[in-house]
């Protein structure tokens, strides 16, 4: 048989040296990714994708192929890959952390619609969240690297704008991940103060300084720094704590006294507007509760370089985490709406869920349950810090952040980027200081999260369709539905990003102002000043993601005659592995 015929024969033939092919049919699950060719733009077009059952592969083989895939994207393997696909799902699901996260942000729904906002608002929000998750998952499958959003932007945007857009997305994403940590830790601090209040029968009322002191201690500057640095592999066990939602779904209706039970009319129809906006706009504002709770899809993406079989594991983790969270949260909201009693008594509470627990379970059981909520919230923060530190690590690897030389270091003992952990924790503490501008001002950290992350999401998703690129989907592809799904996601995020810049009431005082525009706008403005700064600005030296791959990969033996030579995006020849179709 001639060489040409050999190259076009059945996919069951072995790949010949130097003549790799692209598989035409990829199943989104149980897929292994193998380098197979070269392309000036590093996409999965550079890979020979062979459908195989990964459970039949040795773990070292899977990790070897992950390292080879990462090499085509321009990076060498520097971090350990301790996370299995299920553990990646555990991280993704526990970052959402339904019960403690809902407890932190429920006040947005109770004051902007009450029961109908909690039930129907969450249902509407979760539908759009799934659209966003699908759009993000498709990109994550094509480019499974810790750089995530800004890496995608650079390779999908048109050449004229890609450096600037990459820079902006990187900074927006960085402040979004750090604000996520700040909001979770602030919620944890408020929950602790609420527990003290319940324990003292309401006689204790925390000051801003007291709450901030707990935010500072729980903003992992001490113990959690060690936890995240040395034992990050154990963090997905927080999935067990996330199942606390079952207590709300099952035990709350059974324990709630009749005087606190609501009729279907009150729970599902009676709209309660406490802040003065028109009802329609108030309902839109209530969506911050589900959008903040089920947010941070890119957090899982930042774990790509520490996950095995990343191009499949990451999108699957995102979608399954959203799916399970949507179902559990809707059931929880129904239970809460029917068991919360008078909505007017909850509006002034920073933690309305704690009040509901107190009314339904009584003081001691409520304190016990609330203590588990606090623990779960703490662990969620540890997971977010884990992901945020990887975003900072990836961005500093490309020299875009101040002090990149210090940030881009791997601790020799833990094999983790300890300096980026300290960096994120410090800035998170600084955001918590917004409480001294007013008790309402600090709540801006919740809207900062959604606004900054959505801003960072919209750009690469849009660039895929309007930029000059040759995007090739990974093993997870939306097919013909990709364009409409991405269009819905971008439109929704653009609209909500504007909505969440407005204050909570139409006639705000200085203390009631929404500081989202100040924080996010300030970060973007300063990043642009630095980018265009004369002589030293990024415009003079920033060229997007910087490949750090060596001429050879340490885990590959160039004398192995079964391994073909390919080129990465910089034209360097690499020796990588291939496999036959199972």
């Amino acid at each position: 048989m001639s060489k040409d015929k050999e190259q076009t024969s059945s996919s069951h033939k072995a790949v010949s040296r130097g003549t790799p092919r692209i598989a035409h049919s990829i199943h989104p699950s149980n897929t292994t990714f193998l380098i197979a060719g070269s392309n000036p733009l590093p996409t999965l077009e550079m890979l020979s994708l062979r459908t195989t059952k990964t459970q039949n592969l040795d773990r070292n083989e899977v990790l070897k192929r992950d390292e080879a895939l990462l090499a085509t994207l321009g990076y060498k393997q520097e971090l350990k890959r301790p996370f299995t696909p299920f553990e990646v799902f555990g991280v993704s699901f526990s970052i959402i952390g339904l019960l403690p996260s809902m407890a932190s942000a429920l006040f947005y729904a109770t004051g902007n619609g009450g029961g109908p906002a909690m039930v129907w608002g969450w249902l509407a929000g979760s539908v759009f969240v799934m659209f966003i998750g699908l759009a993000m998952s498709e990109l994550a499958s094509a480019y499974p690297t810790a750089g995530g959003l800004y890496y995608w932007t650079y390779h999908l945007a048109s050449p004229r704008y890609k450096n600037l857009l990459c820079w902006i997305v990187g900074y927006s994403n960085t402040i979004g991940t750090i604000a996520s940590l700040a909001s979770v830790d602030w919620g944890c601090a408020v929950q602790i103060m609420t527990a003290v209040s319940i324990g003292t029968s309401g006689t204790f009322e925390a000051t801003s300084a007291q709450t901030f002191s707990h935010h500072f201690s729980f903003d992992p500057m001490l113990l959690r720094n060690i936890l995240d640095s040395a034992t990050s592999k154990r963090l997905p066990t927080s999935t067990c704590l996330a199942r606390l939602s079952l207590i709300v779904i099952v035990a709350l209706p059974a324990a709630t006294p009749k005087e606190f039970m609501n009729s279907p009319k009150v729970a599902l129809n009676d709209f309660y507007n406490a802040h003065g906006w028109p009802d329609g706009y108030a309902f839109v504002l209530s969506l911050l509760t589900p959008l903040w709770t089920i947010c941070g899809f890119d957090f899982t993406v930042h774990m790509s370089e520490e996950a095995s079989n990343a191009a499949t594991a990451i999108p699957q983790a995102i979608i399954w985490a959203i799916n399970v969270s949507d179902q559990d949260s809707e059931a929880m909201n129904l239970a809460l709406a029917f068991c919360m009693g008078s909505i007017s008594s909850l509006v002034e509470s920073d933690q309305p869920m704690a009040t509901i627990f107190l009314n339904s379970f009584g003081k001691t059981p409520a304190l016990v349950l609330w203590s588990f909520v606090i623990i779960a919230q703490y662990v969620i923060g540890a997971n977010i810090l884990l992901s945020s530190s990887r975003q900072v690590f990836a961005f500093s690897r490309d020299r875009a952040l101040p002090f990149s030389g210090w940030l881009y270091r791997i601790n020799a003992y833990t094999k983790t980027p300890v300096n980026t952990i300290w960096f994120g924790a410090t800035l998170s503490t600084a955001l918590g200081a917004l409480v001294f501008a007013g008790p309402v001002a600090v709540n801006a950290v919740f809207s900062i999260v959604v606004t900054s992350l959505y801003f960072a999401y919209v750009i690469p998703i849009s660039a895929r369709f309007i930029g000059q690129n040759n995007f090739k989907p990974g093993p997870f592809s939306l097919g013909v539905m990709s364009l409409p799904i991405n269009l819905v996601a971008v439109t929704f995020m653009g609209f909500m990003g504007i909505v969440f810049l407005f204050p909570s009431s139409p006639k705000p005082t200085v203390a009631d102002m929404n500081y989202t525009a100040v924080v996010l706008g300030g970060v973007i403005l300063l990043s642009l000043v630095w980018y265009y700064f004369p002589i030293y600005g990024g415009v003079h030296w920033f060229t997007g993601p910087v490949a750090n791959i060596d001429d050879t990969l340490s885990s590959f033996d160039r004398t192995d005659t079964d391994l073909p030579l390919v080129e990465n995006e910089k034209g360097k020849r690499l020796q990588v592995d291939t496999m036959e179709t199972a």
Side-chain angles (χ1 to χ4, degrees), residues 80-91:
K80 296 184 295 183
R81 287 188 182 267
F83 295 100
T84 66
F86 182 75
E87 288 172 331
V88 174
F89 164 76
V91 171

Side-chain angles (χ1 to χ4, degrees), residues 523-545:
V523 170
I524 298 301
L525 179 61
L526 289 175
S527 71
L528 289 176
V529 169
W530 187 32
Y531 184 78
Y532 286 110
F533 198 81
I535 303 176
Y536 301 104
V539 68
H540 302 291
W541 50 264
F542 181 71
T543 57

Side-chain angles (χ1 to χ4, degrees), residues 41-209:
L41 177 66
T43 68
L44 287 185
E45 190 175 66
M46 302 173 68
L47 308 178
S48 173
L49 300 174
R50 295 290 183 260
T51 304
T52 184
K53 294 191 178 298
T54 55
Q55 59 265 37
N56 295 330
L57 294 176
D58 181 82
R59 176 172 173 80
N60 289 333
E61 291 185 60
V62 176
L63 297 178
K64 189 176 182 181
R65 288 163 172 76
D66 281 321
E67 182 176 346
L69 172 57
L70 185 61
T72 68
L73 302 178
Y75 300 118
K76 61 184 177 182
Q77 188 69 46
E78 297 179 286
L79 301 172
K80 296 184 295 183
R81 287 188 182 267
F83 295 100
T84 66
F86 182 75
E87 288 172 331
V88 174
F89 164 76
V91 171
S92 184
F93 185 54
S94 60
I95 283 176
I96 293 173
L98 283 180
L99 182 57
S101 295
M102 286 180 63
S104 295
L106 188 62
F107 64 91
Y108 279 103
T110 55
N112 289 293
M118 294 164 61
V119 177
W120 307 120
W122 194 287
L123 182 62
S126 64
V127 171
F128 288 106
V129 164
M130 181 58 78
F131 276 93
I132 301 170
L134 289 169
M136 293 285 290
S137 296
E138 194 170 30
L139 293 179
S141 182
Y143 303 106
T145 175
L149 300 169
Y150 78 88
Y151 183 96
W152 305 343
T153 300
Y154 181 82
H155 289 290
L156 295 174
S158 298
R160 180 178 179 181
Y161 304 106
K162 63 181 182 180
N163 285 350
L164 176 60
L165 291 177
C166 175
W167 181 278
I168 293 174
V169 167
Y171 273 92
S172 181
N173 192 199
T174 299
I175 191 61
T177 59
I178 292 174
S180 296
L181 175 62
S183 62
V184 167
D185 283 336
W186 180 257
C188 189
V190 174
Q191 289 164 1
I192 292 173
M193 296 296 97
T194 300
V196 176
S197 179
I198 292 174
T200 59
S201 300
T203 59
F204 173 81
E205 186 172 345
T207 64
S208 295

Side-chain angles (χ1 to χ4, degrees), residues 210-221:
Q210 289 172 324
T211 307
F212 177 76
S213 67
H214 282 77
H215 168 76
F216 179 87
S217 62
F218 278 90
D219 216 13
M221 295 291 289

